[in-house]
Amino acid sequence: MGLKAALATIGVDEHFVIQLSLQYLKTYFQKHSPLASRVDIEVHVFPPHAKARSVAEALSMGDPDLVGFSCYVWNVERILKAAGILRGIKPGCKIVLGGPEVSPRAEEILTRAGAVDIVARGEGERTFTELVELCAGQGELSKVKGIAYRSAGRAVRVNPDRTLLMALGKIPSPYLQGTIEVGKDDIVPLETMRGCPFRCSYCYYHKDSRKLRRFPLSRIEEEFKLILSREPTEVYLMDPTFNADAGRAKAVLRLFRKHNRGSRLHCELRAELLDREMVELLHRANAQFLEIGIQSANPETLRLVNRGLDRTAFERGIALLNEKAVSHEIQLIDSLPGDAYSDLKRSLDWVHRLAPPHIEIMPLAVLPGTDLRRDAKRFGLEFDPRPPYHSRGSDRFPRDDLRRVHGLRKALSLLHNAGFFRRGIRMAAELLGVGFSDILEAWGGRGSSRRADAFPLRDLAKIPGFLMSLCRRHGMLRKSDGLRRVLQEDMAEVLMSAHLQRVRSGRPAGSRREHAGGTQCRPGGPAA
């Protein structure tokens, strides 16, 4: 009888159904293990709402000899519960945990979770292959590098680290091997390289691999050719910093454009490393959403978190993206070391002046294994001990200020990210001599009971009156005629967008559902 193994995770989003990391484990084993023909490996991606018991029961039905879970901040607690339930159903099954959430917590996990037999640390392709072979009676647990495990005496043992696989081409492509089927509605994840050359203290990206390692361009072209022929909604390049190697990034973009049939491209990059040629290539490749982290504009904060920033180069890069209308999001992080609430507001005002389509203030997550986690006490930084480890405040950023940030986020979603009234809001800020962040603060708790995915017509209609009330409060009403005209034009744009959305959705003009905030679009906002 052959061996049965299951690889499983709980997804983060209904749209992300392809779990590339698990497929890598499967295809690597199938290519490199002499036992490949004797082992059946099933991959399970459970939906975000999946309960621990349903996960355990579904896996047990396959009668696996080994189950490997891929763990992230959004799923690790449920996976630990599922492991405990699975242990009760199948006492003899080996349970292995891997992924960025457990790699730096291996000893803690094994001490806490009696159902877990092994924690894989770092990249898992070769480790998984050796563990499956071990289940088949080949090898010794003490000789498997890159794992922690519980010995026969229940003591936790930590084996030496596994060296990185430098030749990434040895990992077969799950797409080219046919183990992943790509559909038209899919968001397709893909790696072109691994590693990150930067050393930001809040980030875990560079821990496993500080050196850039690249998949062969010839393989990437074959993957693009196959994937893009299926015309998926989006291809998401998972590289931590896509343009860390500018020449390589340009080559990848040329290949994507060559084979693209209309799919959009999504990646994370640094604006400082953009030039006119790269932005043109992003535009032609149909890059419709770029994530650009700035985190803070405070020089002292950036020094404390080991994050570099060339403000001039950053501004130039964002200007180039705006020139070509390439949609992007600039991300800040709250409560970083050295930042006070007033510093975050100044960073937000600077970012807003660059006129990006989308701005996001991310909550600080004090992740296990990061330098920030290690140094948290030095900064007076408190955080939730449970995933996702969000900050509870610091010496310079108390909890009350974190609550104020929540108000900024809600206002930002409507007053900037919805894509309307941008001219009017800028004009109002200039007229009143205040910053954009002051406008967001003044918005306060206005709106919204609408669904997050709904067109916010009712809330948008409140903005002109809100801005005029600010002018009245500041004694500037007599000088606001120009602002009033701009707000009327902006409101006309909102109403036209609402009308077009009604036409597209097939509902009659004047639909009551529309006026209740019921349509499904954010015209003028960033790409998804």
Side-chain angles (χ1 to χ4, degrees):
M1 182 184 294
L3 196 72
K4 293 183 178 181
L7 292 166
T9 195
I10 300 172
V12 65
D13 187 285
E14 295 284 0
H15 301 291
F16 287 88
V17 297
I18 297 173
Q19 185 61 230
L20 188 58
S21 62
L22 297 183
Q23 298 289 354
Y24 276 147
L25 301 183
K26 178 177 179 177
T27 54
Y28 188 88
F29 175 84
Q30 289 175 332
K31 179 173 182 179
H32 294 286
S33 176
L35 303 182
S37 62
R38 295 167 45 194
V39 179
D40 179 39
I41 301 175
E42 292 186 350
V43 174
H44 303 261
V45 181
F46 294 96
H49 60 268
K51 304 295 185 184
R53 178 162 294 278
S54 65
V55 169
E57 290 175 349
L59 291 171
S60 68
M61 291 179 67
D63 195 28
D65 300 287
L66 180 147
V67 172
F69 287 104
S70 186
C71 301
Y72 301 89
V73 290
W74 62 82
N75 66 21
V76 66
E77 293 299 314
R78 274 180 295 159
I79 283 177
L80 288 171
K81 290 179 183 177
I85 297 167
L86 183 61
R87 171 64 68 224
I89 300 172
K90 283 194 60 64
C93 176
K94 286 287 184 188
I95 297 178
V96 182
L97 267 55
E101 175 56 25
V102 296
S103 282
R105 299 173 56 201
E107 293 178 79
E108 175 205 336
I109 294 288
L110 289 167
T111 301
R112 166 187 168 191
V116 178
D117 297 301
I118 300 166
V119 173
R121 299 179 293 111
E123 295 177 358
E125 286 86 6
R126 289 175 294 169
T127 301
F128 175 72
T129 291
E130 292 181 21
L131 289 175
V132 174
E133 292 172 349
L134 192 70
C135 283
Q138 297 185 9
E140 300 177 26
L141 200 56
S142 62
K143 301 290 179 63
V144 179
K145 293 182 178 179
I147 66 168
Y149 64 98
R150 197 176 292 102
S151 68
R154 308 299 290 173
V156 174
R157 308 289 187 192
V158 180
N159 288 357
D161 292 343
R162 184 178 292 279
T163 57
L164 293 172
L165 180 63
M166 301 308 296
L168 294 182
K170 291 184 178 180
I171 304 172
S173 166
Y175 298 105
L176 300 179
Q177 296 295 313
T179 61
I180 296 177
E181 289 293 329
V182 176
K184 266 185 171 287
D185 296 329
D186 285 343
I187 295 175
V188 181
L190 188 67
E191 286 184 306
T192 74
M193 64 180 179
R194 290 183 180 177
C196 182
F198 304 108
R199 303 290 177 267
C200 306
S201 70
Y202 50 82
C203 186
Y204 193 74
Y205 269 145
H206 62 272
K207 289 295 182 179
D208 282 340
S209 179
R210 298 189 173 195
K211 183 176 181 180
L212 293 181
R213 293 166 294 140
R214 302 163 178 84
F215 287 92
L217 278 174
S218 57
R219 166 199 169 127
I220 293 169
E221 178 165 20
E222 289 302 308
E223 288 179 312
F224 281 161
K225 185 177 180 180
L226 174 66
I227 291 168
L228 295 170
S229 72
R230 306 292 197 269
E231 301 181 23
T233 299
E234 176 179 294
V235 174
Y236 174 32
L237 298 183
M238 300 173 68
D239 309 341
T241 306
F242 171 65
N243 63 338
D245 180 337
R248 164 84 173 194
K250 292 174 182 179
V252 171
L253 289 171
R254 291 187 186 99
L255 294 176
F256 188 88
R257 183 197 175 201
K258 176 182 176 182
H259 297 286
N260 195 13
R261 301 183 183 183
S263 299
R264 63 179 181 241
L265 180 67
H266 177 179
C267 60
E268 303 174 32
L269 51 74
R270 284 214 172 189
E272 305 98 301
L273 304 179
L274 292 171
D275 59 22
R276 188 170 295 278
E277 180 187 16
M278 188 178 296
V279 171
E280 180 66 30
L281 288 168
L282 285 163
H283 172 67
R284 293 184 179 182
N286 200 28
Q288 291 194 21
F289 190 63
L290 306 178
E291 295 185 63
I292 301 171
I294 185 68
Q295 324 317 358
S296 175
N298 180 0
E300 176 61 11
T301 293
L302 295 173
R303 183 187 69 80
L304 291 173
V305 299
N306 201 32
R307 171 89 183 192
L309 173 64
D310 182 332
R311 289 176 71 115
T312 300
F314 188 92
E315 291 173 353
R316 182 172 60 247
I318 297 300
L320 289 170
L321 292 174
N322 287 337
E323 183 182 312
K324 298 300 295 185
V326 178
S327 185
H328 55 282
E329 174 182 276
I330 300 181
Q331 299 168 347
L332 298 165
I333 298 178
D334 68 28
S335 62
L336 284 168
D339 254 359
Y341 178 73
S342 57
D343 297 308
L344 177 63
K345 285 185 61 181
R346 278 191 287 272
S347 295
L348 179 57
D349 290 339
W350 175 65
V351 167
H352 180 255
R353 286 194 292 273
L354 303 182
H358 202 142
I359 304 169
E360 197 70 43
I361 305 173
M362 314 293 287
L364 175 61
V366 188
L367 299 173
T370 62
D371 294 344
L372 182 60
R373 177 87 162 221
R374 181 196 64 205
D375 297 333
K377 288 185 179 180
R378 178 160 68 93
F379 300 119
L381 180 60
E382 297 181 359
F383 56 91
D384 192 331
R386 299 163 301 179
Y389 314 108
H390 283 162
S391 166
R392 291 176 173 173
S394 68
D395 289 345
R396 288 182 52 79
F397 215 113
R399 293 190 185 199
D400 286 347
D401 284 346
L402 281 177
R403 284 189 277 270
R404 297 169 74 188
V405 173
H406 181 64
L408 292 180
R409 285 193 188 98
K410 291 183 67 176
L412 188 60
S413 68
L414 185 71
L415 300 188
H416 183 78
N417 293 340
F420 298 102
F421 290 104
R422 290 181 177 173
R423 287 188 308 156
I425 290 170
R426 286 181 185 277
M427 182 177 288
E430 292 172 5
L431 178 65
L432 302 176
V434 299
F436 173 63
S437 62
D438 296 317
I439 300 279
L440 297 183
E441 279 186 327
W443 177 259
R446 292 173 174 82
S448 160
S449 58
R450 69 184 178 89
R451 298 193 320 275
D453 61 349
F455 183 71
L457 180 58
R458 293 174 64 183
D459 291 336
L460 288 167
K462 299 174 185 177
I463 293 176
F466 158 68
L467 293 174
M468 296 310 298
S469 71
L470 286 184
C471 291
R472 184 180 300 108
R473 190 184 312 167
H474 284 76
M476 301 296 291
L477 205 54
R478 293 183 179 180
K479 298 182 179 181
S480 62
D481 288 346
L483 173 62
R484 186 178 284 107
R485 285 193 296 272
V486 168
L487 291 175
Q488 288 171 348
E489 294 169 2
D490 287 348
M491 191 64 213
E493 180 186 353
V494 170
L495 293 173
M496 178 58 71
S497 294
H499 171 72
L500 291 174
Q501 179 58 24
R502 280 197 299 269
V503 172
R504 292 190 195 104
S505 64
R507 288 197 302 279
S511 162
R512 290 181 63 192
R513 185 163 180 264
E514 170 64 39
H515 292 287
T519 52
Q520 301 289 318
C521 180
R522 294 191 306 176

